[in-house]
Amino acid sequence: MLNVHNLSVSFGGEYLFEEVSFRLNPGDRVGLIGKNGAGKSTMLKLLSKEMEADSGVIATDKEVRIGFLKQDIDFVQGNTVLEEAYQAFEEIKRLERQLDEINHQLAERTDYESEGYHQLMIDLNDVSHHYEILGGYNYQGDTEKVLLGLGFKREDFEKMTDTFSGGWRMRIELAKLLLQNNDVLLLDEPTNHLDIESIIWLEQFLKSYSGAVAIVSHDKMFLDNVTNRTIEISLGKIYDYPKAYSDYLVLRKEMRELQMNAFKNQEKQIEQTEKLIEKFRAKASKASMAQSLIKKLDKIERIEVDEEDNAVMNVRFPVSVQPGKVVIEGETIGKNYGEKKVLGGIDLLVERNSKVAFVGQNGQGKTTLAKIIIGEISHTGNVKLGHNVQLGYFAQNQAEYLDGEKTVLDTMLDSANDTNRTKVRDMLGSFLFRGDEVDKKVKVLSGGERNRLALCKMLLEPFNVLVMDEPTNHLDIKSKNVLKEALKSFEGTLLLVSHDRDFLQGLTDKVYEFKEGRIREFLGDINYYLDERQAADFREIEKSSTPKATVKEDKESVKISYEDQKRQKSLKNKLSKVESGIARLEKEIAEIDAQLAVSYDELIAKPGFFDKYKEKKKELERLTESWYEVTEALGE
């Protein structure tokens, strides 16, 4: 479907990736991963033909249609939501116009027996047939279904796209792509502007999608739920495995351990050979043998261990001063935008050191309440900050406030004060801006790098209450994990607006759900909230009746001892088979390990070798679990 061969791209004389090759096939759902700035978005631009590589080839089948969802989109103004979504059906809309024209001509003409009228009837039949084949009678229903799945309400359909935020407009663009029947979908951070419910809907859609999908995402749970293959871009190379993200990490680690073991064995072999060469060199009678060993040594193909890019941020959020017990108190908070009521009658009490998550569909007022708390927007009702409270705020679009023409270093220095100006370079270093990277202009940074810089800049101000709105947007998975650990150990108060389930897990102790202008409190983390919401959704269809217990007849209870004996005999036979299977697999795996130590390169070149090796290990684990189960059953 889409074949990439020896692709190379460089910037400023340094390769982003060099001579990489892979193929996308129907049914592939690829997670394209890597650190911020590794080249993931660049790879999608190359695949979409939006930019050209320095060298290499991207070949596609002739009729392949490619849809590309970019992080930043140019939106045409002046359409309603439905009209904009219908842009996905260019051919159908063209046929609609053609049908209208033919029907208009037929209505005006009365020469029913003429050749021209007859030709119009033929044209009407042909166009109608083509219209039906393309789904002309279903596209409106399909469009509404996708828009509703992505969180729009029916009353939104006739509203102008200009009235929606960037996040909602991104959803319209995503809807168009999903409706276009593309053969290949390229999605760059598709979950960045979606709430949890819409992400779950998108997961289900992509799982049943028959074409190829390449997704750049830093949402670990989304990748695990959707993808069946992972391509990592790291240090100019790619690592391609037919596994979802979490399984890929395990496999990658195992592969590297095997490489390392083989590398150590080879080093030991080389060392012994070099000692023999030195020993034989000194004796004239052994000189020919020494030369033979030297030739043998030269022919050895050296095993290379894959490099790992383990550089991560070093983040710590210090608390400025200790605040009072109650840090935020709100009474009957309300906010209207024109006639639209976003929040009404909100009462809120946030105590010192609590960690709170704001969740809910987009447009329900999460960001609005965050901005009210920090005093950025007007509102009705009262918000009172506690004694000694110092607020820190990270906006959803914080990176957009950075001046693109400034360098990374100047951005920090201009915001620093006399106390922390000398620490700026160290702070940038802990956020992975080292050496010459501090002289880069902000406009050339990737989305994730800009977010890292915005986080770093935020630390120049003192705070003990931290309000963060979608801080993980564009951050790579390693950086997200570091940020999560830093927030876990933050000794202040945290208010966090986020849709990232994996990031929220175990991070907060309270969840506020925003719905229809109100908030509802859940005392637990995101898992507890999702469990409760599922219970709430399905409560109506749950049946309260439970199956009645039946009393066994005496005749059946008499048979128990005989049945037990039969079962025990069956279990013993099964145990014997399991034990012989375990012994066989342990022997086979040990033999393969010994072969790997000697002929690593030769073995890894064999197609399917590691899959078979992994399968044997999995089978051994399964049999071991089975052994425990059978032994336990025998004990009973």
Side-chain angles (χ1 to χ4, degrees):
M1 182 178 275
L2 192 150
N3 193 29
V4 176
H5 183 65
N6 285 347
L7 207 65
S8 297
V9 170
S10 62
F11 290 104
E14 287 188 20
Y15 277 105
L16 201 54
F17 34 80
E18 186 176 10
E19 294 189 351
V20 300
S21 300
F22 61 91
R23 182 179 174 81
L24 289 182
N25 301 305
D28 281 347
R29 296 190 297 276
V30 178
L32 195 59
I33 65 168
K35 288 183 62 177
N36 294 136
K40 305 182 296 296
S41 295
T42 300
M43 179 62 79
L44 291 190
K45 287 175 184 175
L46 291 165
L47 296 178
S48 68
K49 309 287 177 68
E50 192 174 286
M51 68 177 283
E52 290 186 7
D54 296 343
S55 61
V57 177
I58 300 175
T60 58
D61 296 341
K62 195 174 181 182
E63 301 299 321
V64 164
R65 288 166 297 176
I66 298 174
F68 181 25
L69 179 75
K70 294 180 275 189
Q71 286 184 24
D72 305 306
I73 55 171
D74 298 321
F75 227 88
V76 177
Q77 297 186 342
N79 285 336
T80 65
V81 170
L82 266 183
E83 285 169 346
E84 186 63 36
Y86 289 159
Q87 299 300 313
F89 305 99
E90 289 179 21
E91 182 65 8
I92 287 175
K93 299 300 284 182
R94 186 186 65 78
L95 291 173
E96 272 186 352
R97 291 191 293 272
Q98 209 171 331
L99 283 171
D100 286 344
E101 177 61 29
I102 292 170
N103 283 318
H104 182 68
Q105 288 184 45
L106 287 171
E108 287 184 340
R109 294 179 67 153
T110 54
D111 54 336
Y112 307 122
E113 302 301 323
S114 71
E115 190 176 324
Y117 193 90
H118 180 64
Q119 184 59 49
L120 280 174
M121 293 299 294
I122 292 171
D123 292 344
L124 179 66
N125 183 58
D126 289 345
V127 175
S128 297
H129 181 61
H130 191 195
Y131 183 76
E132 184 178 359
I133 287 172
L134 290 178
Y137 299 109
N138 303 319
Y139 82 93
Q140 292 177 330
D142 290 343
T143 302
E144 290 184 12
K145 201 185 298 179
V146 169
L147 288 171
L148 290 168
L150 287 172
F152 289 94
K153 294 176 182 174
R154 289 196 180 275
E155 55 264 34
D156 295 329
F157 291 173
E158 298 305 323
K159 290 179 183 174
M160 305 301 286
T161 57
D162 313 13
T163 63
F164 288 87
S165 67
W168 283 97
R169 285 155 74 178
M170 182 69 83
R171 290 187 194 208
I172 301 170
E173 196 67 18
L174 178 57
K176 284 158 63 177
L177 277 183
L178 298 182
L179 289 163
Q180 275 170 357
N181 252 348
N182 290 300
D183 303 296
V184 179
L185 279 181
L186 308 174
L187 308 177
D188 196 355
E189 300 284 10
T191 64
N192 265 1
H193 301 284
L194 301 185
D195 53 50
I196 292 172
E197 289 180 18
S198 298
I199 291 172
I200 291 169
W201 179 88
L202 181 60
E203 286 175 357
Q204 297 307 316
F205 183 97
L206 292 175
K207 279 181 191 175
S208 59
Y209 182 71
S210 58
V213 187
I215 306 165
V216 171
S217 178
H218 300 129
D219 185 332
K220 178 186 163 190
M221 196 173 287
F222 179 73
L223 290 173
D224 280 344
N225 289 343
V226 171
T227 62
N228 54 19
R229 181 177 165 194
T230 299
I231 296 178
E232 180 182 10
I233 302 176
S234 177
L235 301 172
K237 295 182 179 180
I238 65 164
Y239 301 92
D240 186 355
Y241 292 96
K243 301 285 179 186
Y245 178 74
S246 292
D247 290 337
Y248 159 75
L249 289 182
V250 174
L251 184 61
R252 183 94 169 79
K253 186 181 176 187
E254 286 181 5
M255 292 281 289
R256 200 169 185 283
E257 283 172 1
L258 284 171
Q259 279 184 336
M260 187 59 78
N261 289 336
F263 174 76
K264 285 177 181 175
N265 287 332
Q266 190 185 66
E267 287 294 295
K268 197 180 287 182
Q269 186 186 345
I270 289 169
E271 190 182 338
Q272 288 171 347
T273 306
E274 285 173 341
K275 282 179 182 176
L276 282 174
I277 290 169
E278 287 302 314
K279 188 178 177 184
F280 293 156
R281 243 186 203 145
K283 298 179 183 178
S285 59
K286 303 284 187 179
S288 60
M289 193 176 288
Q291 287 302 315
S292 175
L293 286 171
I294 289 168
K295 285 177 184 175
K296 184 182 175 184
L297 202 60
D298 290 340
K299 286 179 182 176
I300 290 177
E301 192 172 328
R302 305 294 173 112
I303 294 169
E304 290 183 9
V305 179
D306 293 337
E307 283 186 78
E308 282 193 305
D309 191 349
N310 290 318
V312 291
M313 294 193 301
N314 177 23
V315 187
R316 194 173 65 86
F317 296 105
V319 173
S320 54
V321 291
Q322 185 79 333
K325 187 180 178 186
V326 175
V327 294
I328 301 166
E329 194 172 0
E331 291 180 351
T332 61
I333 302 168
K335 178 65 183 177
N336 286 27
Y337 289 103
E339 294 181 5
K340 186 180 180 183
K341 178 184 172 183
V342 180
L343 296 172
I346 302 294
D347 293 326
L348 186 72
L349 184 74
V350 180
E351 295 187 336
R352 181 180 61 219
N353 299 342
S354 55
K355 289 185 167 63
V356 181
F358 287 0
V359 303
Q361 287 190 333
N362 286 355
Q364 296 295 330
K366 303 185 299 293
T367 296
T368 299
L369 185 56
K371 287 181 176 179
I372 286 171
I373 288 168
I374 65 159
E376 191 173 295
I377 56 176
S378 60
H379 58 92
T380 57
N382 298 310
V383 175
K384 183 183 174 186
L385 299 182
H387 175 65
N388 267 349
V389 166
Q390 293 180 327
L391 290 170
Y393 179 55
F394 187 88
Q396 187 175 146
N397 57 342
Q398 190 77 33
E400 292 176 17
Y401 294 119
L402 301 174
D403 186 342
E405 294 302 322
K406 286 184 181 179
T407 66
V408 170
L409 182 59
D410 287 341
T411 299
M412 289 290 287
L413 289 173
D414 290 350
S415 299
N417 54 41
D418 293 338
T419 309
N420 54 29
R421 186 167 279 106
T422 55
K423 299 176 184 174
V424 161
R425 281 187 179 272
D426 290 338
M427 290 173 71
L428 285 171
S430 68
F431 278 79
L432 302 183
F433 295 105
R434 294 163 185 160
D436 294 341
E437 289 181 338
V438 299
D439 296 321
K440 282 184 179 178
K441 283 197 173 182
V442 170
K443 65 182 179 184
V444 303
L445 300 179
S446 69
E449 287 170 328
R450 286 198 295 269
N451 247 29
R452 288 210 311 262
L453 179 58
L455 276 169
C456 187
K457 184 184 172 190
M458 186 186 70
L459 292 179
L460 292 169
E461 299 293 330
F463 54 82
N464 49 28
V465 176
L466 186 51
V467 182
M468 304 190 88
D469 191 357
E470 303 290 5
T472 62
N473 280 359
H474 307 296
L475 284 184
D476 61 60
I477 292 170
K478 282 183 180 178
S479 296
K480 277 200 327 190
N481 291 339
V482 172
L483 177 60
K484 182 175 179 177
E485 290 306 312
L487 292 175
K488 271 185 179 179
S489 58
F490 175 51
E491 294 176 359
T493 306
L494 175 67
L495 298 181
L496 183 63
V497 180
S498 180
H499 61 256
D500 191 324
R501 293 159 291 172
D502 181 63
F503 185 72
L504 287 173
Q505 280 177 347
L507 179 55
T508 59
D509 47 39
K510 189 186 290 184
V511 173
Y512 281 123
E513 180 191 44
F514 286 64
K515 197 170 186 181
E516 295 172 353
R518 309 289 298 174
I519 62 173
R520 182 181 168 195
E521 185 180 73
F522 293 82
L523 296 173
D525 76 347
I526 192 67
N527 287 340
Y528 173 78
Y529 161 73
L530 289 172
D531 288 343
E532 286 294 299
R533 282 289 282 111
Q534 191 175 16
D537 289 345
F538 293 103
R539 197 162 283 138
E540 290 178 16
I541 60 169
E542 281 177 1
K543 305 216 171 160
S544 56
S545 59
T546 53
K548 293 180 181 177
T550 54
V551 181
K552 292 185 180 178
E553 294 180 11
D554 287 342
K555 279 194 293 181
E556 290 175 353
S557 62
V558 173
K559 292 180 186 175
I560 289 173
S561 59
Y562 173 69
E563 293 297 329
D564 258 357
Q565 287 175 26
K566 276 178 71 179
R567 185 166 173 268
Q568 195 173 47
K569 189 175 179 182
S570 169
L571 285 169
K572 282 181 178 176
N573 289 337
K574 189 175 180 182
L575 185 65
S576 176
K577 284 181 183 175
V578 169
E579 285 176 340
S580 63
I582 287 172
R584 174 180 57 79
L585 281 167
E586 283 179 339
K587 186 181 175 186
E588 287 174 5
I589 289 168
E591 285 172 357
I592 293 172
D593 285 338
Q595 291 170 15
L596 276 169
V598 179
S599 315
Y600 177 86
D601 287 337
E602 188 181 326
L603 287 170
I604 62 166
K606 290 184 179 178
F609 169 80
F610 273 114
D611 285 342
K612 289 175 185 173
Y613 180 60
K614 192 85 191 299
E615 203 57 47
K616 286 183 189 292
K617 282 197 165 184
K618 275 189 182 173
E619 180 67 2
L620 181 59
E621 282 176 23
R622 192 186 64 76
L623 285 178
T624 305
E625 283 175 20
S626 184
W627 184 87
Y628 281 119
E629 288 167 5
V630 176
T631 308
E632 215 171 339
L634 271 171
E636 289 169 6

